[in-house]
Structures are given as C-alpha cells and as structure tokens.
C-alpha cells in the first residue's frame, strides 16, 4: 500500500496480532496486571484530558491539542484507530512546538518491552497498545496528555487513569451495541464510566436528552464539577466568526478550520475542557488553535494525489471515517451546506464493517446523494460485502451499485458525469479502515 511505513514497529505489532485477539474484551484486569509489571506507568503521567464519546471525540482531541500547543505547551496525544501507520496512535509532545508521531525505533522498543512484560498471558492487542501509550507518555516529559477512549469507557483499557485533570464526554448515539447496549442511556452509562469522583467533567453537545440526563446524573453522584454544552458553555456563528461563551466571558474567534457546523460545538467543548483541566489559555491561543487544527480522515479534502487524478477533472473528493447514524447526520448536513454554497452532484463511495448500522448511516443522505457505490475494505477482515451494503443503501432510499474498488467507482462516476458541465463532489467514507486505504493509495498519509 502506497504511504504505509515499512517499519520495525509495525513488524513487532504484526507478531502480536498473530498471538493475541484483535478485537475487544472489555475488562480492566488484564491491563492492570500488565501495567503493574511495567511499574505502573499510568500513574506517572502529566495531567490527563480523558476523552470519550460516540462521535466528536477525535475532533475535540485535535482541538485541545491545537489550542494547548498554541499556548506553547507540550502535548502527548493518544488516538485510535490509526488510518495508515501504527505510529499515528502516539504523538509525543515537543516543548514550544507541535508534537510529532513517535519515532519507529522508539515505538518498536516500547512494543517489545510491553510484550515481554506481559509474559505470554491472555490479553488483547488493544490492551498491549494502550500499555505502550502509558509507557511512552511516562518516559517522555510533557505538560499534558490527551488520551482518547477506544471503546465505551467504563471497561476500556484507558480507564485505569485514576485522577484525570478533566473527563470529556462527547455526543453519544447508538454504536457498538453488542458491547455497550442497545439504548442510548445504556451507552451513556458506559461512557460515563471515565468520570472519577471529584474530577472535573465537560459534557459536549448531546442530541439525545436521555444520554445527557445520564451523564449529568453520574457527574452529580460523583461530586464532579461539571459543565454542560448549551447550559454552561456554548458557541455560535456570527458574521463569519465563532462566538464562544462560558461563565468566564466571551471570546470572538475565527471559524474552525475543520469543516461542518458540528465543529462549532466540538471546538467549544475543547476550549471548556482545557480550562476545566486547569490550563490558562489566552484568546490568542484559541484563535491560533482553531485556525490551524488538523484531524486527518474526518471531512478531509484530498488536494491532489493518485486517486484524484482518476476522478473527473475538477472533482472535489472528501474522505470521512464516520460510520454510524449520528455521523451520517452531521456529514450529510455538511454536504448540504456545501451544496448551498456551490451546487455539485454528490456521489458516495462507501465501505463499512459488519458491526455498524448501514441503513441508519445512509438515511440522512436521502434526496442529497445522486448515487452510492459500495466497495470492499482491504484494511479489515470484518468488511461488509458490497452487494449487501448496496442493498442497505437501497433500503435507505438511495440508488446504489456494488463495485470492486474505489478506482472503479471513480471511473464510473466519470462515465456518468461525462456530459455534465459541473464536476461532481465525491464523498468516500463509512469506515476509518476505508479512509486509511484511500489515504495510502492516494499518497497522502497523515503527517
């Protein structure tokens, strides 16, 4: 795959994939045992911003990092999954500068040490990789660590953090029902599991009142000082600017670099989170942070590359890893906003894995997308068959056709629009695995 780093660290992780399960087995017993064998590195971290949620947790992580770095702080960041290379999960802070992905030799050494400390005991690969996070972050000084939850919260491997500077819960909707429950209040209870007694909590915008109520009730029961979007802090657009407001006052800021109106609430949650964590950030740092924030694979426009050259001349190609009904809603709204500003025919190229709700994802695109082309996912053995996925899109009221590759889809879009005077807008997504494949094939892996 173009863009994939052939690395020592990747080789070490591939060995683990052959020995341990790839999926999730929610428990804290194994990770606690392993961390004890490593000398409890999770107890030796800088102040931690711990982030959970169904949607928006990656964006709020990116905003927090960008704002804090603009203030001159060094920021460690853990996210998952990666798009192209394993290194993307571990960004090490740099004093006075922007953090960078961990170096290959450093990551390979950390993976080996964690695997040796595990001693062949039963464990999941995600738990080993989470232990690597704590080991790396404890051994490299920084001012703050932002740690994103992998799945759920209560029994997620990251939830060994005992005293977070702040716990952040972003929007909650149905996803991973097999693990977390089939009602939003059950999922909210799992996400709320990252709250720790007396530690500050920031609750991002919640579309589901039942989820919001569970989060507030949990925070109150644990005596957590909490700030709730729409109640204690908020943001809105005014004259092409973002106005942020909380109990400390107003800030007149540029619109976030990340596209979509949903990013206003994500940016607001990040600003409130860094304040709740005890960091003093200037309005200037907020301005710089919002203006230069980056979050690859989430409503990212491809500026050039191999795939763009396969599309009709003048096409817009966007990639986004959103994969659940909540993500489908905000992504479709953003595409509709693009359509209002500049009308173009919209085509979807979609691949998904079999734990998702495809119909719920596709439904918000009704009346907006001209056609859907469904494709397989190379980066996961859990990918849905394109024929089945096309049937799901049809059940959502969309015209859909299965194809073998993204390149085939781009070629077919070119054939359909050959006589059109306006080039198309193409959204490739439905899975972070598909987005990773696309970024690699296009030659634009995350930097």
């Amino acid at each position: 795959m173009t863009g994939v780093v052939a690395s020592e660290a990747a080789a070490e992780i591939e060995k683990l994939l052959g020995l341990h399960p790839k999926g999730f087995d929610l428990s804290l017993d194994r990770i606690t045992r392993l961390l004890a064998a490593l000398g409890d590195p999770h107890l030796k971290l800088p102040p931690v911003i711990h982030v959970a949620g169904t949607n928006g947790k990656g964006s709020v992580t990116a905003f927090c990092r960008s704002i804090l770095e603009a203030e001159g702080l060094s920021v460690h960041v853990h996210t998952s999954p990666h798009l192209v290379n394993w290194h993307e999960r571990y960004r090490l802070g740099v004093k006075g500068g922007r953090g960078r992905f961990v170096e290959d030799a450093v990551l390979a050494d950390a993976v080996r040490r964690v695997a040796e400390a595990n001693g062949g005991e039963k464990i999941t690969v995600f738990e080993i990789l989470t232990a690597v996070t704590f080991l790396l972050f404890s051994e490299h000084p920084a001012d703050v660590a932002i740690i994103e939850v992998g799945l759920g919260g209560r029994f997620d491997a990251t939830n060994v953090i005992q005293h977070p500077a702040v716990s952040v819960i972003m929007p909650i909707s149905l996803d991973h029902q097999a693990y977390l429950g089939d009602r939003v209040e059950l999922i909210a209870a799992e996400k709320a599991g990252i709250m720790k007694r007396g530690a500050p909590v920031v609750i991002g915008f919640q579309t589901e009142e039942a989820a919001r109520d569970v989060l507030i009730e949990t925070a109150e029961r644990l005596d957590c000082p909490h700030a709730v979007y729409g109640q204690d802090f908020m943001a809105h657009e005014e004259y092409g600017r973002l106005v942020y407001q909380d109990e400390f006052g107003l800030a007149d800021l540029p619109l976030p670099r990340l596209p979509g109106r949903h990013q206003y609430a994500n940016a607001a949650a990040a600003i409130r989170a860094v304040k709740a964590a005890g960091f003093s950030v200037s309005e200037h740092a907020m301005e710089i942070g919002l203006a230069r924030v980056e979050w690859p694979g989430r409503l990212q426009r491809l500026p050039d590359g191999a795939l763009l050259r396969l599309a009709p001349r003048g096409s817009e190609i966007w990639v986004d890893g959103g994969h659940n009904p909540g993500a489908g809603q905000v992504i479709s709204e953003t595409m509709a906003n693009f359509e209002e500003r500049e009308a173009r025919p919209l085509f979807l190229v979609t691949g998904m894995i079999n734990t998702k709700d495809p119909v719920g994802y596709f439904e918000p695109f009704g009346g907006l997308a001209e056609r859907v082309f469904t494709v397989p996912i190379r980066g996961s053995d859990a990918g849905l068959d394109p024929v089945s996925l096309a049937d799901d899109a049809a059940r959502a009221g969309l015209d859909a056709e299965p194809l073998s590759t993204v390149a085939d889809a781009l070629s077919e879009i070119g054939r359909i629009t050959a006589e059109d005077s306006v080039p198309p807008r193409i959204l490739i997504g439905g899975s972070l695995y598909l987005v990773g494949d696309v970024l690699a094939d296009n030659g634009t892996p995350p930097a």
Side-chain angles (χ1 to χ4, degrees):
M1 228 190 292
T2 304
V4 176
V5 175
S7 73
E8 184 183 0
E12 293 295 331
I13 295 170
E14 289 299 321
K15 291 179 189 176
L16 296 175
L17 290 172
L19 296 172
H20 301 290
K22 296 181 183 180
F24 294 92
D25 185 3
L26 299 181
S27 166
L28 296 181
D29 295 338
R30 294 178 300 275
I31 186 72
T32 301
R33 169 190 54 75
L34 175 55
L35 291 171
L38 290 164
D40 290 323
H42 62 300
L43 304 180
K44 304 168 187 175
L45 302 180
V48 172
I49 297 174
H50 199 191
V51 184
T54 307
N55 296 303
K57 61 183 178 180
S59 294
V60 81
T61 293
F63 279 120
C64 285
R65 172 199 160 208
S66 191
I67 292 167
L68 290 166
E69 286 182 341
E71 196 62 60
L73 301 175
S74 55
V75 186
H76 291 333
V77 182
H78 165 264
T79 58
S80 67
H82 62 281
L83 294 174
V84 179
N85 299 308
W86 292 98
H87 304 69
E88 298 165 35
R89 296 178 180 233
Y90 313 98
R91 189 179 291 273
L92 298 182
V94 176
K95 192 68 177 178
R98 305 181 75 179
R100 58 179 67 99
F101 294 145
V102 61
E103 294 178 1
D104 185 58
V106 175
L107 178 55
D109 175 68
V111 172
R112 277 194 295 266
R113 288 158 58 199
V114 171
E116 289 169 3
N118 186 58
E121 295 289 330
K122 180 181 177 181
I123 200 165
T124 66
V125 172
F126 181 76
E127 288 167 324
I128 289 181
L129 296 178
T130 302
V132 168
T133 299
F134 295 132
L135 189 65
L136 288 171
F137 289 6
S138 69
E139 293 180 344
H140 294 79
D143 296 309
V144 57
I146 307 172
I147 296 180
E148 182 186 310
V149 167
L151 175 63
R154 184 166 60 110
F155 289 121
D156 183 77
T158 66
N159 202 31
V160 293
I161 299 165
Q162 297 180 2
H163 305 288
V166 64
S167 300
V168 185
I169 316 288
M170 296 305 289
I172 292 170
S173 61
L174 291 176
D175 198 10
H176 297 293
Q177 290 96 313
Y179 293 99
L180 305 178
D182 59 0
R183 302 198 312 273
V184 291
E185 56 267 36
L186 297 178
I187 295 175
E190 293 296 323
K191 308 285 187 185
I194 71 167
M195 299 183 191
K196 301 299 186 296
R197 182 167 295 278
V201 171
V202 170
I203 298 172
F205 172 68
Q206 302 294 326
T207 58
E208 301 285 349
E209 186 175 347
R212 182 176 179 271
D213 290 346
V214 168
L215 298 176
I216 292 173
E217 289 166 6
T218 305
E220 290 175 345
R221 175 169 51 82
L222 294 174
D223 295 323
C224 297
H226 53 284
V228 182
Y229 184 87
Q231 174 179 303
D232 304 300
F233 67 97
M234 60 198 72
H236 66 276
E237 182 180 356
E238 189 172 305
Y239 302 113
R241 301 277 291 176
L242 184 73
V243 178
Y244 169 84
Q245 182 177 5
D246 62 17
E247 67 267 38
F248 303 107
L250 290 169
D252 179 19
L253 304 168
L255 294 178
R257 182 182 179 189
L258 301 182
R261 290 195 178 104
H262 60 288
Q263 296 294 0
Y264 303 169
N266 292 340
I271 293 170
R272 191 64 187 84
V274 298
K275 291 182 177 183
F279 294 100
S280 178
V281 291
S282 64
E283 189 165 324
H284 178 68
M286 297 179 203
E287 292 175 357
I288 298 300
L290 267 59
R292 74 180 188 189
V293 63
E294 297 176 339
W295 190 222
R298 284 75 170 181
L299 280 174
Q300 175 184 352
R301 184 175 178 180
L302 299 184
D304 196 3
L307 288 178
L308 199 69
R309 291 190 286 274
L310 296 176
R313 184 182 297 275
S315 297
E316 283 183 13
I317 297 184
W318 297 81
V319 294
D320 190 276
H323 47 246
N324 54 48
Q329 186 65 46
V330 297
I331 297 165
S332 67
E333 287 174 359
T334 302
M335 291 294 119
N337 291 336
F338 289 169
E339 176 70 10
E340 288 179 8
R341 294 203 303 265
E342 181 186 7
R344 290 173 178 251
L346 175 65
F347 293 86
L348 306 187
V349 181
T350 309
M352 300 187 82
I353 62 174
N354 57 20
T355 60
K356 305 305 174 185
D357 173 11
V359 176
Y361 172 83
F362 283 124
E363 282 177 338
F365 291 96
L368 184 63
E370 298 267 338
R371 199 166 190 184
V372 179
F373 295 100
T374 57
V375 296
I377 297 174
R378 295 195 314 265
S380 171
D381 54 12
L384 280 171
D385 178 76
V387 175
S388 172
L389 188 57
D391 289 342
D392 291 326
R395 280 197 290 275
L398 301 175
D399 183 11
E401 178 183 347
L403 291 174
S404 298
T405 66
V406 170
D408 289 344
L410 296 177
S411 176
E412 185 64 10
I413 293 169
R415 185 191 66 78
I416 293 171
T417 61
E419 303 301 321
D420 293 353
S421 59
V422 178
R425 178 173 291 123
I426 303 167
L427 173 65
I428 306 176
S431 170
L432 288 169
Y433 294 105
L434 178 62
V435 168
D437 290 343
V438 166
L439 292 178
D441 290 347
N442 198 57
T444 53

